[in-house]
Amino acid sequence: MEQQDEQVGGLSHHGSSQDLGSPPISSFEPGESSQQEDGTVMRRSESYLPVPGEDKNLDGDFNGKTRNDESMPMKTLYASDGSLLHLPLGPYFSDGQRRVDYVLTYGIQKPSAIRRQSSKLSDNGYFHRLWRSLSSRSSRAPLQLKEDPEVAATEQQANYHEDDKRFKREEFEQNLQEMGLELEKDEGGKIAGIGFLKIHAPWAVLCREAEIMKLKMPTKQVYEVKQGSNLVEKIRLFIHKVTDPLHPKVGPKRPEDVKSLSLPFSKEKQHLFDLSDRDKFFDSKTRSSIVYEVLKRIRWTRPNYSLGITSLLANGVYTSAYPLHDGDIDGVTAEPNDRKLLFEEWASYSVFYKYQPIGLIRKYFGEKVGLYFAWLGVYTQMLIPAAIVGVIVFLYGCATVDDNIPSMEICDPRNNITMCPLCDSVCSYWKLETACGTARASHLFDNPATVFFSIFMALWAVLFMEHWKRRQMRLNYVWDLTDYGMEEEDHNRAEYELRVAEKTMRQDQGAAKDEKVKLTCTDRMPAYLTTVVMMSFMIFITFVIAFGVILYRISIKTALHLSTYPAARSNIRATVKTTAAIINVIVIIILDEIYASIARWLTTLEVPKTDKSFEERLIFKTFILKFVNAFTPIVYLAFFRGRLVGRPGKYLYVVGSYRMEECAHAGCLMELCIQLCITMLGKQLIQNNLFEIGIPKLKKLLRKRKSELTSKQEEELHKTLKRYEKDHVLGPFVGINPEYMEMIIQFGMVTLFVASFPLAPLFALLNNIIEIRLDAKKFVLELRRPIASKVKDIGIWYNLLRGLSKVAVIVNAFVIAFTSDFVPRLVYQYTYSPDGTMHGFVNHTLSYFNVSDFQNGTEPNPPNFNVKVCRYKDYREPPWSNTSYELSKEFWAILAVRLAFVIVFQNVVMLMSDFVDWLIPDIPKDISFQIHKEKLLMLDHFMKEEGRRRDNHNHDGYTSPSSARLLLHFH
């Protein structure tokens, strides 16, 4: 063990037979394959001749030395009787002491000779002996297998690529060792074909990198945090005390009125920090972040280009890179760890009613993931009052439906109003009283309370944004992010480096060597043109599909009218609405998956320079495509259906003989409500929840079916896997942008058309309660641990939310004014009603049509000779007028009021929103005070420390360089 401890930055290699002295694991006898299986290392200082060939020992060391002098001491791997010791299953090196901070995996491939022979010979010993006897029977004409030259060339090329990758790995790993990292390889694990490179950062490396990264760490000194004394803070503290049982039990609580002073780590100021337990000073999240920063800086350099870890991963030199989870979550022997605590107090459906342990989430996954779940928690909390008010509005509609005069008039059979046919030829005249059910249902969502709810939701969106800004600022203070900036260098992406390398090689020799090569707008112009064309084409496809659903509704309505089944004829409207909405949902879900892949492909074509640029471009494209995809059918129902219809005798036709759809007499609001309801339920239940639960379960089931082991054998095998092998089986972490995108689209559903569907906040609330625990289970159980990414806000998502909340005001103004009957009812009651009530409103909205004016072929067949005049919903002159069928003066009066309502509603709500925004400060007063106080205390603390140091050294005016930097930082 002493020999191992002295090896700082060294490479330990175990798991392969040649290093451990155990017999080689092969189907061949040792004497035949010893040359191929001799583990060796290629050095950077030696020449590298990647000439593939069967007679070459490509895995051999060019200086003939084996790697046994670098392997771990035998006593750490073997017991006194020569048996292999039980290696630790936790996140540690084989010595059980050094923690694995990061893991790189790579493919292991046999040399070409072994690979070709093993593919042609059985593992049975009889065939081995037969092959050897036949091969040695005649020295003049040995028996040889005939090989296809193309197959041999392909195998040699594959062997060349593997050797090239191995050489890059060896050189990259030597650079890691020179940076002080300690490495250990495991190529004999239970996952076939995968080698693991375990990386450990010693204390010296952690201190050095923490100082370079300016990581703020808590000091020994603590100070008192005074709570705010204003009314808002008192209310917040009261609510916090009342809801204390709902807070998760995640370990010992620190007093909320005490906080440690934090400052950027400095090796010269180590005495300021509590280093009594060095193993716990840097937690696992911080250690893996430090190692990842080192990996990003280390380069595999060549004269024309250099490759970092992202490029090596993209080229397949390494297959994956990930930090380890803290430990297991199940089993009696599972030690207490943060992952297990998160599973018990966060990722369990039994604690759905509790708050999330945001501090522990941030500690384990980092600030970026912590902020997402904090935002999701605030959003879900704010949905509670919105859902309550929405339910009240809905119940108000239920309570007043029997008192609604327009729906009573529609349902009254005494009126005996005959309506014009809904389609040509096959549709007959119909009685208005048959639309009674639709009219009563429409009142549930189209009533005076809807206007109030629209104003409420506009103010709710502003309050939500302000609440989140304050919550975010509070988290920044608690997590020591108030001084964090984005000045850190954003490393180039692998694809960008490769493109720059290709451009460098194509450049003329006469080009200036000191000129830095980069991709210009000209280089990216083909990609930009492709993006514009493809985005336009995808949006066009969305419109075409929406138009196809419109044609489906028109044709299925005609088909149902022709049906001989009484049940089909009696429920035509409900059937058409529901089936069309379901088709729209299915199309939206399918196109969402396609558009996400296309957006990523287009962003990759543009070759963004940094990960941040890539992420922003990808978010923009994905949001545009998914937003258009989700809201195109809804926008059509809200603003276009029933507007471009024409009138009886002069209808508008599309694609030949397809007559454009009309709204029901009660308006299109009911159909809009059905579409929103089915879209929200479909997307949330199918796309968000079922896909996230079902697809991983399906993949797991397929893996089990392919596996030859029983469930019990697999469980026993899983228990014997080491920590890095268990994590390798988990799914890769692909970021939290898909999670944000789901919630942003949902936020649009909740705010944009809330005037037509007051129950949208309730549906969103129920979904989010499940979504939080579903995402938590996915992060804790099914995904590899992400790299802790430090951010201080949610970035571009906040701008999208703010934009949607502004657009929602305008959209709801138009929905109330043009889609609902709120404005026509208002105009009738105060202008045209003889008694100031709604009596006669239905008759006022219906125009007359003389059935003799039908175009040839469009009248009902067979004709009804008893009907001379039919009614249709529109404001037009009667046929006996001098300007028959022209738009009436009532139409223009109502249109003017509608436009005036939009302008007034929009400006009043915007003014109220801006006033609320101005009234609520972005930074809570107590947080602003504590930040200022913390800076003064730190400055005073450093001045005292420097005073003591000057007294101890008896040097007047002495100031250490690190202290000078810190003082400058606080000033």
Side-chain angles (χ1 to χ4, degrees):
M1 198 55 106
E2 291 79 14
Q3 177 184 353
Q4 194 175 28
D5 291 337
E6 292 172 3
Q7 185 181 1
V8 178
L11 172 66
S12 300
H13 187 98
H14 70 89
S16 54
S17 57
Q18 67 272 21
D19 291 337
L20 303 180
S22 57
I25 302 172
S26 174
S27 60
F28 298 92
E29 294 185 13
E32 294 180 354
S33 58
S34 60
Q35 185 180 8
Q36 285 88 346
E37 294 190 358
D38 183 24
T40 52
V41 181
M42 287 181 293
R43 301 299 179 198
R44 181 165 43 174
S45 59
E46 297 162 353
S47 58
Y48 175 59
L49 303 174
V51 182
E54 191 175 12
D55 56 339
K56 307 270 185 200
N57 181 13
L58 295 177
D59 288 343
D61 193 323
F62 291 114
N63 59 12
K65 293 182 181 180
T66 64
R67 203 160 35 190
N68 289 335
D69 58 338
E70 292 183 344
S71 59
M72 294 178 56
M74 292 298 178
K75 63 180 181 180
T76 64
L77 296 176
Y78 285 91
S80 57
D81 59 354
S83 61
L84 187 64
L85 286 174
H86 175 68
L87 297 179
L89 299 181
Y92 297 98
F93 274 24
S94 299
D95 56 9
Q97 302 294 324
R98 292 175 291 173
R99 183 181 182 88
V100 178
D101 297 318
Y102 209 83
V103 172
L104 300 177
T105 66
Y106 52 92
I108 302 175
Q109 192 169 359
K110 295 179 181 179
S112 58
I114 295 178
R115 194 165 57 248
R116 284 196 294 272
Q117 291 180 16
S118 62
S119 64
K120 295 175 175 62
L121 298 178
S122 169
D123 291 338
N124 194 300
Y126 171 79
F127 289 100
H128 284 232
R129 293 191 295 273
L130 177 62
W131 170 251
R132 293 180 64 192
S133 63
L134 291 174
S135 299
S136 59
R137 185 170 296 171
S138 172
S139 60
R140 291 175 298 173
L143 181 63
Q144 295 182 354
L145 295 175
K146 293 184 179 180
E147 295 184 349
D148 187 344
E150 289 189 13
V151 174
T154 303
E155 290 177 346
Q156 289 183 359
Q157 185 178 9
N159 197 40
Y160 163 76
H161 287 308
E162 287 303 315
D163 291 330
D164 185 54
K165 291 178 182 177
R166 182 169 57 84
F167 174 66
K168 291 177 180 177
R169 284 197 300 269
E170 296 288 350
E171 187 168 353
F172 184 75
E173 289 160 12
Q174 186 169 342
N175 290 338
L176 293 180
Q177 293 171 355
E178 292 173 358
M179 290 295 292
L181 296 177
E182 296 178 2
L183 313 177
E184 182 180 77
K185 284 188 176 180
D186 183 1
E187 296 182 352
K190 297 185 179 180
I191 301 180
I194 298 294
F196 296 90
L197 177 67
K198 296 173 281 184
I199 304 175
H200 169 75
W203 175 256
V205 174
L206 293 173
C207 293
R208 181 192 70 209
E209 296 299 324
E211 187 169 9
I212 293 174
M213 295 168 63
K214 301 177 183 177
L215 293 181
K216 293 185 74 173
M217 305 300 294
T219 63
K220 297 177 184 177
Q221 184 175 353
V222 296
Y223 68 96
E224 183 182 0
V225 177
K226 292 184 178 180
Q227 302 296 336
S229 58
N230 57 6
L231 180 61
V232 176
E233 290 304 317
K234 288 181 178 179
I235 294 174
R236 188 184 68 83
L237 291 174
F238 173 76
I239 295 174
H240 183 79
K241 289 180 180 179
V242 170
T243 59
D244 187 66
L246 301 180
H247 291 274
K249 307 298 185 288
V250 290
K253 286 187 177 180
R254 285 196 61 175
E256 293 188 2
D257 57 348
V258 173
K259 186 178 184 294
S260 298
L261 283 173
S262 297
L263 61 103
F265 185 82
S266 170
K267 290 186 289 185
E268 296 181 3
K269 296 292 184 182
Q270 291 190 29
H271 61 281
L272 299 177
F273 304 93
D274 184 10
L275 303 180
S276 56
D277 189 352
R278 289 188 173 186
D279 292 336
K280 294 183 179 179
F281 182 72
F282 294 108
D283 57 18
S284 58
K285 174 204 69 175
T286 307
R287 296 175 69 100
S288 61
S289 300
I290 289 174
V291 173
Y292 182 63
E293 287 297 320
V294 176
L295 288 174
K296 287 198 295 186
R297 290 205 311 268
I298 298 299
R299 321 295 291 175
W300 181 84
T301 308
R302 280 296 169 266
N304 291 331
Y305 61 94
S306 63
L307 301 178
I309 183 62
T310 52
S311 302
L312 296 176
L313 286 168
N315 293 333
V317 177
Y318 292 103
T319 55
S320 60
Y322 52 91
L324 297 183
H325 281 292
D326 276 359
D328 293 320
I329 59 170
D330 51 3
V332 181
T333 58
E335 298 180 358
N337 57 74
D338 288 343
R339 187 188 186 197
K340 185 176 181 180
L341 192 58
L342 281 171
F343 175 73
E344 294 171 350
E345 295 291 337
W346 180 48
S348 175
Y349 291 111
S350 61
V351 294
F352 74 93
Y353 60 92
K354 287 188 175 183
Y355 289 98
Q356 300 179 87
I358 297 299
L360 186 60
I361 297 170
R362 172 252 180 179
K363 177 188 174 187
Y364 192 78
F365 292 108
E367 284 77 7
K368 191 170 187 178
V369 175
L371 277 177
Y372 164 70
F373 282 104
W375 173 83
L376 183 57
V378 169
Y379 173 46
T380 305
Q381 267 184 294
M382 291 294 293
L383 281 173
I384 295 175
I388 293 174
V389 176
V391 171
I392 292 174
V393 169
F394 177 75
L395 293 177
Y396 170 81
C398 295
T400 58
V401 66
D402 292 331
D403 300 328
N404 183 39
I405 295 175
S407 61
M408 291 171 61
E409 289 183 347
I410 293 175
C411 297
D412 189 356
R414 293 174 298 178
N415 290 329
N416 194 26
I417 299 176
T418 303
M419 303 295 293
C420 296
L422 296 174
C423 60
D424 293 343
S425 301
V426 296
C427 296
S428 183
Y429 303 104
W430 57 284
K431 295 296 183 180
L432 181 61
E433 64 188 78
T434 59
C436 176
T438 304
R440 290 173 63 86
S442 296
H443 178 73
L444 303 180
F445 306 98
D446 185 7
N447 54 69
T450 304
V451 180
F452 159 76
F453 190 56
S454 299
I455 299 174
F456 171 82
M457 287 302 295
L459 297 178
W460 172 88
V462 177
L463 287 171
F464 163 58
M465 304 299 290
E466 291 301 313
H467 180 34
W468 167 244
K469 282 194 291 187
R470 292 169 64 85
R471 171 69 168 155
Q472 184 175 260
M473 197 63 214
R474 192 174 295 277
L475 290 176
N476 284 343
Y477 167 69
V478 175
W479 295 350
D480 295 316
L481 296 174
T482 51
D483 294 328
Y484 177 75
M486 302 304 293
E487 68 275 358
E488 287 79 5
E489 179 185 359
D490 201 354
H491 298 271
N492 294 345
R493 300 183 67 250
E495 292 82 358
Y496 182 84
E497 291 180 339
L498 291 175
R499 284 287 298 273
V500 169
E502 294 171 0
K503 184 178 179 180
T504 304
M505 288 188 241
R506 289 196 306 265
Q507 278 187 338
D508 297 333
Q509 299 294 332
K513 294 185 178 180
D514 57 345
E515 183 179 349
K516 188 175 181 180
V517 179
K518 61 180 180 180
L519 296 184
T520 61
C521 185
T522 306
D523 298 324
R524 293 191 176 100
M525 188 57 66
Y528 290 154
L529 292 176
T530 304
T531 298
V532 172
V533 171
M534 284 298 297
M535 292 278 289
S536 303
F537 179 70
M538 290 299 103
I539 294 174
F540 175 73
I541 289 293
T542 303
F543 292 159
V544 169
I545 293 176
F547 184 68
V549 176
I550 295 172
L551 296 183
Y552 161 81
R553 276 201 293 259
I554 296 171
S555 57
I556 199 68
K557 184 190 296 182
T558 305
L560 289 175
H561 276 288
L562 289 172
S563 175
T564 58
Y565 293 100
R569 294 176 62 89
S570 62
N571 296 300
I572 292 176
R573 286 185 180 274
T575 304
V576 172
K577 293 174 187 176
T578 307
T579 56
I582 292 173
I583 291 173
N584 273 324
V585 170
I586 295 173
V587 169
I588 287 170
I589 292 173
I590 294 173
L591 289 183
D592 267 357
E593 302 301 319
I594 297 174
Y595 288 168
S597 302
I598 291 176
R600 180 168 289 274
W601 172 65
L602 292 174
T603 309
T604 305
L605 281 183
E606 295 175 4
V607 197
K609 183 175 181 180
T610 63
D611 286 331
K612 182 180 179 182
S613 175
F614 181 90
E615 185 178 80
E616 290 178 349
R617 295 183 187 208
L618 177 61
I619 290 172
F620 175 75
K621 294 182 183 66
T622 309
F623 175 75
I624 292 295
L625 291 176
K626 289 195 172 187
F627 185 86
V628 171
N629 181 39
F631 287 98
T632 295
I634 298 172
V635 170
Y636 164 74
L637 287 175
F639 302 123
F640 294 98
R641 183 175 178 181
R643 315 285 173 201
L644 308 173
V645 177
R647 60 170 179 82
K650 194 177 181 181
Y651 284 113
L652 176 66
Y653 294 89
V654 293
V655 194
S657 60
Y658 287 93
R659 195 176 103 187
M660 287 300 291
E661 301 175 282
E662 298 179 53
C663 288
H665 179 76
C668 282
L669 201 68
M670 189 61 198
E671 295 192 29
L672 177 60
C673 174
I674 293 174
Q675 181 68 57
L676 273 169
C677 179
I678 294 180
T679 301
M680 284 195 71
L681 288 176
K683 280 182 66 66
Q684 292 175 357
L685 293 179
I686 299 175
Q687 189 175 29
N688 297 356
N689 297 333
L690 188 61
F691 279 13
E692 292 186 10
I693 298 174
I695 291 180
K697 297 276 187 189
L698 183 62
K699 289 181 179 178
K700 190 175 181 180
L701 181 63
L702 291 176
R703 283 199 303 267
K704 282 187 177 181
R705 294 192 58 138
K706 290 180 181 179
S707 175
E708 297 178 357
L709 302 176
T710 63
S711 298
K712 190 172 182 181
Q713 289 174 330
E714 280 193 358
E715 186 177 347
E716 292 298 324
L717 176 63
H718 185 74
K719 289 180 180 178
T720 61
L721 292 178
K722 303 178 184 68
R723 178 75 265 152
Y724 49 86
E725 292 174 324
K726 291 179 181 179
D727 285 7
H728 184 266
V729 179
L730 300 177
F733 178 75
V734 295
I736 57 175
N737 289 336
E739 317 298 335
Y740 269 118
M741 190 64 69
E742 291 176 16
M743 293 297 106
I744 295 297
I745 297 297
Q746 184 201 85
F747 182 81
M749 295 279 184
V750 168
T751 56
L752 288 180
F753 294 93
V754 73
S756 60
F757 190 39
L759 294 180
L762 177 64
F763 284 12
L765 174 64
L766 296 177
N767 172 79
N768 288 4
I769 292 174
I770 301 173
E771 181 77 17
I772 289 175
R773 307 303 163 180
L774 190 65
D775 285 347
K777 193 177 286 288
K778 181 171 64 174
F779 274 74
V780 174
L781 293 180
E782 299 173 4
L783 298 179
R784 295 173 189 161
R785 189 175 183 178
I787 296 294
S789 180
K790 184 170 286 190
V791 295
K792 64 186 303 182
D793 53 43
I794 61 175
I796 191 175
W797 300 108
Y798 179 82
N799 297 329
L800 292 177
L801 287 169
R802 195 168 184 83
L804 282 176
S805 63
K806 297 292 186 185
V807 173
V809 177
I810 303 173
V811 170
N812 282 301
F814 275 94
V815 168
I816 295 171
F818 287 90
T819 309
S820 75
D821 280 338
F822 175 76
V823 172
R825 287 196 299 262
L826 207 64
V827 172
Y828 175 79
Q829 184 174 0
Y830 292 102
T831 306
Y832 298 105
S833 175
D835 55 0
T837 65
M838 294 302 296
H839 288 287
F841 173 72
V842 173
N843 186 64
H844 178 76
T845 60
L846 297 177
S847 298
Y848 293 89
F849 178 74
N850 192 334
V851 297
S852 61
D853 293 335
F854 273 120
Q855 292 179 344
N856 292 332
T858 62
E859 66 275 1
N861 190 16
N864 188 342
F865 297 104
N866 295 325
V867 178
K868 303 298 182 181
V869 176
C870 63
R871 308 291 294 273
Y872 62 98
K873 187 177 182 181
D874 204 349
Y875 291 96
R876 291 182 180 271
E877 297 291 343
W880 53 81
S881 172
N882 294 329
T883 56
S884 57
Y885 304 129
E886 294 294 327
L887 294 173
S888 64
K889 60 180 181 179
E890 288 87 355
F891 172 85
W892 298 109
I894 291 174
L895 178 61
V897 176
R898 280 173 164 165
L899 294 175
F901 176 84
V902 169
I903 296 172
V904 172
F905 182 90
Q906 174 187 337
N907 285 280
V908 169
V909 175
M910 288 284 191
L911 183 63
M912 294 171 65
S913 301
D914 291 341
F915 176 73
V916 172
D917 191 359
W918 169 81
L919 189 65
I920 303 175
D922 294 345
I923 305 177
K925 287 185 178 180
D926 62 320
I927 295 298
S928 179
F929 173 76
Q930 295 299 339
I931 292 172
H932 181 67
K933 177 182 176 182
E934 188 176 72
K935 289 186 177 182
L936 293 177
L937 287 174
M938 284 185 176
L939 184 60
D940 181 64
H941 181 68
F942 280 114
M943 295 297 291
K944 289 180 179 177
E945 285 293 328
E946 287 306 309
R948 291 195 197 100
R949 182 177 291 272
R950 284 197 297 268
D951 293 340
N952 292 336
H953 288 78
N954 295 321
H955 290 299
D956 294 336
Y958 170 77
T959 303
S960 67
S962 62
S963 298
R965 289 196 302 269
L966 289 169
L967 291 174
L968 182 62
H969 170 76
F970 290 117
H971 281 297

